[in-house]
Each structure stands twice: as structure tokens, then as C-alpha cells.
Amino acid sequence: MSLPRGQTLAASASNAPPLYLLREGTIVLRGRDGTVLEQVGPGGFVGEEVCLDRQPPPWNWVAQADCELLAFATADLRGIPVVLWKLLETHERRLRSIELINNVKAP
């Protein structure tokens, strides 16, 4: 799948995307307020919350450059414990980043 520079991948409860593995390009995870949370490059992934049966994340994925993504159906990944562990670890790290940023912004 191609994702042109500037385009956003946004998760929603009714339109849950698969897990995306980035082959080329850069995707930035931005909080709902526009704060940059993380930059994901080739070999990184986004969309882990869908595999974990979580609510849509409090971030959007924005292509910083033209990207090539590989999409994996969540049903194919749920039966692989080591993959689920890595997805959970990454998701929790991303959530902690948001908490830290919000604590810094709080008066």
C-alpha cells in the first residue's frame, strides 16, 4: 500500500485498519493536539492497538515522506504470542509517552 507524504492514517472503531509494517518512508505519530509522539521508519509498525482489541489510539499516523506499507490482517497475528508481546510492549510505550507529554504540559 502506498501512503503519500502528508496523508493521515486514522483509526476508528468502525473502520479498524490492519497492522501496518513500514517498508519505505517515515511516519510520525501525532497526538490529537498535534504533538509529535514518535517517528517510525522502515521496519517499524503502526496499528498495534487493533491487534490488541484496544480502542482507537489517541494519535494519528501522518506520512512525513512517501511511504510503502505492508498490511497484515490482525486475525493472522493474534495466534503468535511473541508478536502479541511485542505489539503490547510498543503500545504501552506509546501510551506512556503521551502521559509524560501531558504531565509536562500540565501547569
Side-chain angles (χ1 to χ4, degrees):
M1 167 185 166
S2 294
L3 184 67
R5 181 176 189 225
Q7 187 171 343
T8 299
L9 282 173
S12 70
S14 62
N15 182 13
L19 180 78
Y20 293 106
L21 177 67
L22 190 59
R23 282 187 60 198
E24 296 177 16
T26 305
I27 293 179
V28 171
L29 276 70
R30 291 188 180 273
R32 299 286 184 217
D33 65 354
T35 302
V36 174
L37 304 172
E38 182 178 343
Q39 184 172 333
V40 180
F45 58 86
V46 295
E48 74 280 354
E49 64 284 340
V50 176
C51 287
L52 300 169
D53 290 326
R54 304 290 171 110
Q55 295 294 325
W59 55 71
N60 288 318
W61 312 303
V62 181
Q64 290 298 103
D66 291 342
C67 296
E68 286 296 320
L69 304 164
L70 298 173
F72 294 90
T74 58
D76 294 339
L77 300 172
R78 286 193 177 127
I80 308 171
V82 69
V83 170
L84 288 177
W85 182 261
K86 183 63 177 176
L87 297 177
L88 180 61
E89 182 180 71
T90 300
H91 186 68
E92 292 297 322
R93 179 179 44 78
R94 289 174 176 165
L95 289 175
R96 279 193 308 274
S97 294
I98 291 173
E99 287 177 16
L100 290 172
I101 289 169
N102 287 339
N103 287 339
V104 169
K105 288 182 179 179

